[in-house]
Amino acid sequence: MGKITWDSTFKDVQQLLIDEDGIYKEYVRKRYNEYDFKGIMDINRHIKINNPFVGKTAYSTREYSYDNDILCLIRQTLDYIKDYFPDILKGYLNNNVILNEIIDAIENATPSYRMNVNYADSMKCRREITHPMYQKYEDVRKLALMILQESGQNVFDDKEEDTFGILIDISWLWEEFIAVKLLNEHGYEHLLTDNSKGSLQWAEGKPWYPDYIEKGEANSKRNIFDAKYKFWDWNNADIHQLLSYLFLTGGDTCGIIYPSQKEQSPEPNPREINAFASFYNAKPKIYALPIFIPQGGYDDYSEYCKKIDISIQAWKQNFSAHIATS
């Protein structure tokens, strides 16, 4: 779930509870077994639990109550966030005192709540809220179902609903951008974890998938590059990963390609890797290869495209001059 979902849930619930609408209420069927008979007698249950008869009567009544499935659904959603995303909830509670009161109010209003009941599967919770007084709760109901079912919102559904955001895998998109725009013409292949383009096996049947591997025979020396969607600065874990790949391929060059906010990228300044002299005639090298990504401030999208194209061409010139011919 993205942050917008938590924001929508907390803010919508908070606003509804402090508005004049108040806590959600609806008619519910309550069952009692008491001396004072005030509703419709439940004969089957009465015979079952009041035998021998001691004066109590089993009955049911329809009441306008806070203790209903919709409010239990909201409470279950808050419990879900508390269990699986405690840091997110803690952050909201620390910055918003009234949210603590809201959670307490929901818990106090739902004594029938059971942790072992999945309210997301309840028919009452799946029905649209049409009561004009509580119409604003409809968005909260839908958000709660999305969170509990971990489904999000499908933008391809043929429904007339607002979409507040789209969740995409930026890391994968970054890898594809580098593969197509930067490395493809230099003879590198983007390996995919579905093994559709091969793999690098560190043992029989045990594959690894470096992001980019130089094209060639499996037993030939091939260079390796990796993409990182972060501001990179010689991270040891990433270096260990690259060295492992390079050891298997026997290549003499590897590097990390990552985004940068600096328009003037430094000249490639590789670090030499201390390797066994019997494996290499010269020490292999590892490169940090930032590419400038424009941050905005353009009047239209075409200006941004021109800027990113300039950045791509500059990066490829550096790569050709210092690495591809090394």
Side-chain angles (χ1 to χ4, degrees):
M1 283 295 157
K3 186 176 185 296
I4 193 167
T5 302
W6 306 134
D7 282 343
S8 299
T9 302
F10 293 134
K11 289 180 180 178
D12 286 355
V13 172
Q14 175 178 322
Q15 191 61 44
L16 287 169
L17 290 174
I18 62 178
D19 279 349
E20 60 182 16
D21 297 348
I23 298 178
Y24 179 81
K25 294 174 70 175
E26 67 177 24
Y27 282 104
V28 295
R29 180 67 62 180
K30 294 283 189 178
R31 301 198 303 174
Y32 298 97
N33 187 47
E34 299 175 338
Y35 293 105
D36 295 330
F37 178 46
K38 305 180 229 180
I40 301 173
M41 184 176 181
D42 190 337
I43 297 176
N44 291 335
R45 191 162 59 92
H46 178 75
I47 294 173
K48 182 178 180 179
I49 65 178
N50 292 322
N51 189 16
F53 181 67
V54 291
K56 291 184 177 181
T57 302
Y59 67 95
S60 63
T61 182
R62 195 164 180 262
E63 301 177 1
Y64 201 45
S65 173
Y66 297 120
D67 191 11
N68 54 71
D69 282 6
I70 294 294
L71 214 57
C72 285
L73 175 72
I74 296 173
R75 177 174 174 179
Q76 190 170 58
T77 304
L78 293 170
D79 284 349
Y80 176 87
I81 299 171
K82 186 188 304 180
D83 290 339
Y84 291 95
F85 305 94
D87 292 339
I88 293 176
L89 183 60
K90 184 178 178 180
Y92 278 94
L93 294 176
N94 290 338
N95 296 323
N96 198 336
V97 178
I98 195 172
L99 187 57
N100 290 276
E101 300 176 10
I102 290 171
I103 294 176
D104 289 341
I106 292 175
E107 291 177 350
N108 292 333
T110 52
S112 68
Y113 175 76
R114 297 293 179 267
M115 295 182 65
N116 62 337
V117 174
N118 185 6
Y119 292 95
D121 289 337
S122 168
M123 290 301 297
K124 292 181 180 178
C125 293
R126 289 186 169 276
R127 283 199 297 265
E128 181 181 355
I129 297 174
T130 57
H131 195 294
M133 183 175 177
Y134 297 113
Q135 189 60 47
K136 294 179 182 178
Y137 271 92
E138 175 59 16
D139 289 338
V140 176
R141 180 191 70 85
K142 290 188 289 188
L143 279 170
L145 290 176
M146 290 178 188
I147 293 172
L148 292 177
Q149 295 171 347
E150 298 181 341
S151 62
Q153 184 169 342
N154 187 349
V155 297
F156 300 106
D157 284 345
D158 186 18
K159 298 178 180 178
E160 295 181 358
E161 296 180 350
D162 292 332
T163 300
F164 299 103
I166 301 175
L167 184 64
I168 58 177
D169 188 345
I170 293 294
S171 295
W172 178 86
L173 190 61
W174 176 247
E175 289 181 16
E176 279 290 287
F177 168 78
I178 293 172
V180 174
K181 293 294 187 179
L182 304 183
L183 291 178
N184 185 53
E185 66 187 65
H186 292 292
Y188 284 85
E189 189 167 32
H190 182 200
L191 297 187
L192 304 176
T193 55
D194 62 3
N195 207 28
S196 60
K197 295 186 177 181
S199 65
L200 180 65
Q201 296 197 14
W202 61 269
E204 186 66 29
K206 301 296 182 182
W208 273 346
Y209 300 95
D211 291 338
Y212 314 104
I213 186 169
E214 196 172 14
K215 294 179 181 179
E217 299 297 327
N219 57 353
S220 64
K221 291 187 175 182
R222 292 178 292 169
N223 296 331
I224 296 286
F225 288 93
D226 205 38
K228 297 298 178 186
Y229 187 67
K230 60 184 178 182
F231 299 129
W232 193 78
D233 188 21
W234 298 100
N235 180 279
N236 282 337
D238 297 332
I239 293 172
H240 294 162
Q241 183 183 34
L242 271 180
L243 294 181
S244 299
Y245 295 151
L246 204 64
F247 173 77
L248 292 177
T249 65
D252 56 19
T253 304
C254 63
I256 297 289
I257 306 170
Y258 60 97
S260 173
Q261 292 179 318
K262 298 179 180 179
E263 187 165 359
Q264 296 298 327
S265 296
E267 290 290 315
N269 185 23
R271 297 187 181 184
E272 291 187 336
I273 302 169
N274 292 325
F276 294 111
S278 58
F279 287 160
Y280 297 94
N281 295 323
K283 289 184 177 180
K285 298 175 182 178
I286 180 171
Y287 287 82
L289 299 169
I291 176 172
F292 170 63
I293 303 298
Q295 298 301 302
Y298 302 97
D299 293 334
D300 56 55
Y301 182 62
S302 62
E303 289 187 28
Y304 179 85
C305 291
K306 291 177 182 178
K307 194 71 174 179
I308 194 69
D309 189 58
I310 293 173
S311 179
I312 290 171
Q313 297 306 319
W315 189 95
K316 289 196 294 186
Q317 288 175 7
N318 271 337
F319 188 88
S320 298
H322 296 88
I323 299 172
T325 58
S326 62

